[in-house]
Amino acid sequence: MLSVEIRHAIDPQTAKSFDTAALRKNFHVGDIFRPSEIRLIYTHYDRMIVGGAVPAGESLVLDEVKPCGTASILDRREMVIVNIGGEGTVLADGEYVMAKGDMLYLGMGSGPVTFAGDGRFYILSAPAHHTYPSRLIRIDEAANMSLGAQETSNERTIYQFVHPDVMTSCQLVVGMTKLAKGSIWNTMPAHVHDRRMEAYLYFDLAENQRVFHMMGEPDETRHLVLKNEEGAISPPWSIHSGAGTGAYTFIWAMAGDNVDYRDVEMVSMETLR
């Protein structure tokens, strides 16, 4: 079963007037991992698609997605699939066996995508202009960097999978951040990047724990309270940062004008409101 929700772009002035319910309706990503279903959110931020597929012992096929306007989703798109569950298989232009934490890049024209096995598959897709080779990337093949410190509660390792230091894509840049024991903050100090949108997915969070995801303009911040396997759509004008009540990992994904991970505008602590 396939379901597709459309999210229109929201400007910062409109977002200032939103209450909690409106913020969650427009920016919260939740309930995308239902057994035997593929659930997608088609956003008007750089036409990014985020979603989930849970085969639950069946085979699920992702092919035509009407908002894309093509016969098959990858006719004019690229895709990254992240497995956050048990071992699973993805069939597209080849067959790929994925363990937890693996990321699979599928180039434009890879055909329909079939999900099987015990995986819980996080789906990201953006328009493409060229066909680059599909590639399965495991965590030991990812570039990585360590940031933060225990003293500031933000010691973390950033793993760059679909990234210029690892491989070539059209516009998707995707990675994973793991926080060290005792650290709770990610992406703080905060930044914005007006040339790219971003999407977050938090996972490996205990059922009774939560992440407070910070968003909004630097001088007009808001927050979303997220549980395990939930995330946020971050517009280009918004900060994207979070603090958890317990340990967690998150996947970050960008699409837009460039793939330069360093092309950001840092936000000073004095600016945040």
Side-chain angles (χ1 to χ4, degrees):
M1 176 180 173
L2 170 66
S3 65
V4 184
E5 177 189 354
I6 295 176
R7 300 276 183 96
H8 292 283
I10 303 297
D11 67 274
Q13 292 299 316
T14 300
K16 288 181 180 182
S17 67
F18 283 175
D19 61 10
T20 298
L23 283 173
R24 294 181 73 84
K25 180 179 179 180
N26 285 279
F27 303 110
H28 171 241
V29 174
D31 197 27
I32 60 172
F33 298 104
R34 286 192 186 180
S36 304
E37 294 188 28
I38 299 173
R39 298 176 64 83
L40 304 179
I41 300 173
Y42 181 102
T43 85
H44 282 255
Y45 301 106
D46 294 295
R47 304 286 171 169
M48 172 78 92
I49 291 174
V50 301
V54 184
E58 305 176 22
S59 289
L60 300 177
V61 179
L62 178 57
D63 194 4
E64 182 184 14
V65 176
K66 288 188 180 298
C68 296
T70 55
S72 189
I73 186 171
L74 291 180
D75 285 353
R76 296 191 56 143
R77 282 179 166 267
E78 59 185 358
M79 180 179 290
V80 174
I81 299 165
V82 189
N83 186 9
I84 64 170
E87 185 176 287
T89 301
V90 174
L91 180 65
D93 54 356
E95 185 173 347
Y96 304 91
V97 178
M98 300 182 66
K100 182 176 181 179
D102 289 349
M103 293 196 188
L104 172 63
Y105 173 83
L106 295 176
M108 182 177 69
S110 296
V113 184
T114 301
F115 302 91
D118 296 323
R120 297 174 72 80
F121 298 102
Y122 181 48
I123 300 167
L124 299 150
S125 179
H129 61 273
H130 183 82
T131 297
Y132 290 107
S134 297
R135 179 177 171 183
L136 177 62
I137 309 161
R138 306 192 190 279
I139 196 164
D140 59 354
E141 299 172 307
N144 67 81
M145 66 175 80
S146 296
L147 295 176
Q150 187 177 32
E151 293 77 10
T152 48
S153 302
N154 67 345
E155 185 179 1
R156 62 200 188 275
T157 301
I158 298 175
Y159 296 92
Q160 300 163 330
F161 288 75
V162 180
H163 184 278
D165 290 344
V166 179
M167 59 164 289
T168 302
S169 65
C170 291
Q171 62 169 318
L172 281 174
V173 180
V174 187
M176 183 186 302
T177 299
K178 292 177 176 283
L179 274 71
K181 185 176 181 180
S183 287
I184 63 169
W185 279 101
N186 74 72
T187 326
M188 184 61 72
H191 62 254
V192 296
H193 32 70
D194 195 52
R195 289 154 296 282
R196 302 187 307 277
M197 65 81 68
E198 192 155 357
Y200 272 27
L201 180 78
Y202 295 93
F203 69 105
D204 282 348
L205 183 69
E207 188 61 33
N208 64 340
Q209 304 294 328
R210 295 293 183 268
V211 169
F212 288 73
H213 179 85
M214 309 301 170
M215 62 166 294
E217 292 183 289
D219 61 352
E220 190 80 26
T221 61
R222 301 287 189 269
H223 71 269
L224 299 171
V225 181
L226 306 177
K227 61 183 181 180
N228 186 47
E229 296 187 355
E230 292 188 338
I233 296 166
S234 183
W237 48 263
S238 175
I239 66 167
H240 33 282
S241 178
T245 61
Y248 63 92
T249 301
F250 72 98
I251 298 161
W252 44 268
M254 294 180 281
D257 273 338
N258 65 44
V259 293
D260 185 355
Y261 185 82
R262 298 159 298 182
D263 180 19
V264 302
E265 290 79 47
M266 297 303 298
V267 176
S268 68
M269 290 297 191
E270 292 77 11
T271 302
L272 290 173
R273 295 289 186 272

